[in-house]
Amino acid sequence: MDLDYWWLLLIPVVFGLGWMAARFDVKHLLSESANLPRSYFRGLNFLLNEQPDQAIDAFIEVVKLDPETTELHFALGSLFRRRGETERAIRVHQNLLNRSDLPEIEREHAMFELGQDFLKAGLLDRAEDTFKSLNSGAYASDAQRCLLTIYEIEKDWAKAIETAEILEKLSAQSFRKEIAQFHCERAQEALQKKDGELSSAELKLARAANPANVRATILAGDVEMAIGNPDGAVEQWRKVETQSPAHLPLIVERLMKAYGALGKDAEGARLLTQYLDKYPSNDLLDIAYTYIAQQIGPDAAHQLVRAQMQKAPNLAGMSRLLEAQEGSAEEPRRSELELMRGLIRQRTKNLPRYTCQSCGFRARLFYWQCPGCSGWETYAPRRVEPMASGG
Ligand SMILES: [Zn+2]
């Protein structure tokens, strides 16, 4: 019986061993942290308290005391860059690169960081050279992505296309949308230089890269108009309806101009009314109202806006409706209508804007590339009214 419980004796022994091991661990930790300079902990503390200025001073001291700490160099470099102190960031990363004993992976890392410093400092040439030197290795794909950003800033669309194609191979991610847009940019430049032939060639490449690209269709109409072929322009712009009806408000004014050039205003007005029936929107209503009032007369425009308001009532449409009624009203009714319209205008004084779906940047004009986040095709082609403030 006694023999069966002999192992109970082991319990205090195991406890004792555990206690000793823990003590050893703590001792080891203490001795290791004793090797770390005090400034390191001071720096950490400042960082945790969101006092980056003081943190940087503390870390600089550590780096001076122990120049071998590469991780700390990287942390310092990126802290400097984030604060816009690009000169100091550049110096930190160049110091690292000057070390002969730096392992290859860390050399690439430092090179990539240095490229980002140059980019942030606006030194695009030097950033480009730095990223180009990373054409292989762990940072190759990230470096190409930064090169693409540089070429977009420089509007060097030929190099942008080349880089996007390399990126597709490196990252297995599609850049078709971007490549088509780069060709459209080239087509637009050619159009501005009145080179219709080059423009058409670029548009063909844009469509080959991304058949869904509606900008190429719109630009193809512009090319036709520029070479004095409104028939061809009408043909191109009418394709927008099947390709992406949401983009119609962007082209209907041009389309009506082309109908006008052909002496077919009535046909244009009929098409416009059809579009409005099928794809009602405030943008389209605004354009149609003005056009129909000019081409057919105020009564027809009034009728148009009344029909739209019955389908989809909203404040902007209401303002238009009152405006239409004012035209034929007599005093004092006219002044009353004006007063009502003024009140509605107060509620809608924040003009509708195009809004980037990626970063929320709001713009009066429509952009294919967002000026806020540089994303391509991030704007929905319809203007949105911000919520009116209460009161
Ligand atoms: Zn954006």
Side-chain angles (χ1 to χ4, degrees), residues 355-361 369-375 378-379:
T355 309
C356 173
Q357 284 156 343
S358 171
C359 74
F361 193 92
Q369 184 187 23
C370 174
C373 66
S374 305
T378 55
Y379 279 88

Side-chain angles (χ1 to χ4, degrees), residues 1-13:
M1 191 82 176
D2 279 347
L3 268 174
D4 284 346
Y5 293 100
W6 67 269
W7 54 269
L8 282 174
L9 288 173
L10 282 179
I11 293 172
V13 177

Side-chain angles (χ1 to χ4, degrees), residues 3-269:
L3 268 174
D4 284 346
Y5 293 100
W6 67 269
W7 54 269
L8 282 174
L9 288 173
L10 282 179
I11 293 172
V13 177
V14 170
F15 262 104
L17 282 174
W19 179 79
M20 269 163 70
R23 242 182 89 85
F24 178 77
D25 259 7
V26 171
K27 258 192 171 171
H28 180 71
L29 200 71
L30 281 174
S31 76
E32 210 171 53
S33 58
N35 290 337
L36 280 170
R38 276 175 84 86
S39 329
Y40 183 81
F41 292 103
R42 258 190 25 237
L44 263 185
N45 210 16
F46 283 132
L47 257 193
L48 291 173
N49 289 327
E50 288 179 27
Q51 292 171 278
D53 279 321
Q54 289 89 330
I56 283 171
D57 289 339
F59 286 137
I60 285 176
E61 217 171 291
V62 184
V63 172
K64 271 188 206 153
L65 293 170
D66 182 10
E68 300 299 312
T69 50
T70 51
E71 284 310 319
L72 205 49
H73 276 83
F74 284 124
L76 260 183
S78 84
L79 254 177
F80 282 141
R81 187 171 65 236
R82 229 180 312 150
R83 289 160 44 84
E85 295 180 52
T86 45
E87 246 176 74
R88 295 175 89 181
I90 289 168
R91 228 179 308 140
V92 168
H93 293 129
Q94 275 173 340
N95 277 344
L96 265 180
L97 286 166
N98 285 340
R99 273 200 212 163
S100 52
D101 61 336
L102 199 67
E104 182 56 22
I105 183 72
E106 295 206 358
R107 200 195 62 80
E108 285 172 9
H109 185 185
M111 206 68 174
F112 181 66
E113 294 292 327
L114 184 64
Q116 289 188 82
D117 298 338
F118 287 140
L119 186 57
K120 176 100 188 234
L123 302 166
L124 297 187
D125 285 354
R126 298 182 70 179
E128 186 183 345
D129 289 343
T130 311
F131 289 128
K132 268 186 180 166
S133 71
L134 289 165
N135 54 3
S136 63
Y139 289 87
S141 169
D142 288 334
Q144 290 294 327
R145 220 169 264 273
C146 292
L147 279 172
L148 187 60
T149 305
I150 293 172
Y151 298 140
E152 283 180 6
I153 295 171
E154 291 176 337
K155 298 191 184 300
D156 190 334
W157 307 116
K159 281 188 188 166
I161 293 165
E162 213 176 285
T163 310
E165 276 164 358
I166 296 173
L167 262 170
E168 277 197 327
K169 284 180 200 132
L170 282 176
S171 65
Q173 188 193 329
S174 170
F175 281 83
R176 297 284 102 189
K177 185 176 75 183
E178 286 79 5
I179 291 171
Q181 286 289 345
F182 299 155
H183 282 296
C184 285
E185 290 287 343
R186 279 175 66 83
Q188 193 152 9
E189 280 174 7
L191 190 62
Q192 270 154 12
K193 290 177 192 152
K194 304 206 186 314
D195 189 342
E197 216 169 299
L198 177 62
S199 195
S200 296
E202 287 294 341
L203 293 176
K204 208 171 159 189
L205 291 169
R207 278 188 289 252
N210 177 19
N213 182 302
V214 63
R215 187 184 180 189
T217 313
I218 296 174
L219 281 168
D222 289 336
V223 173
E224 294 295 343
M225 217 43 188
I227 59 172
N229 181 17
D231 246 331
V234 166
E235 194 193 323
Q236 290 298 331
W237 287 330
R238 287 199 63 171
K239 285 183 194 163
V240 173
E241 186 191 356
T242 38
Q243 206 177 1
S244 169
H247 284 86
L248 280 174
L250 297 181
I251 55 111
V252 283
E253 272 173 298
R254 281 178 258 188
L255 183 56
M256 292 306 116
K257 214 175 263 177
Y259 272 113
L262 290 166
K264 292 180 177 172
D265 282 314
E267 200 180 311

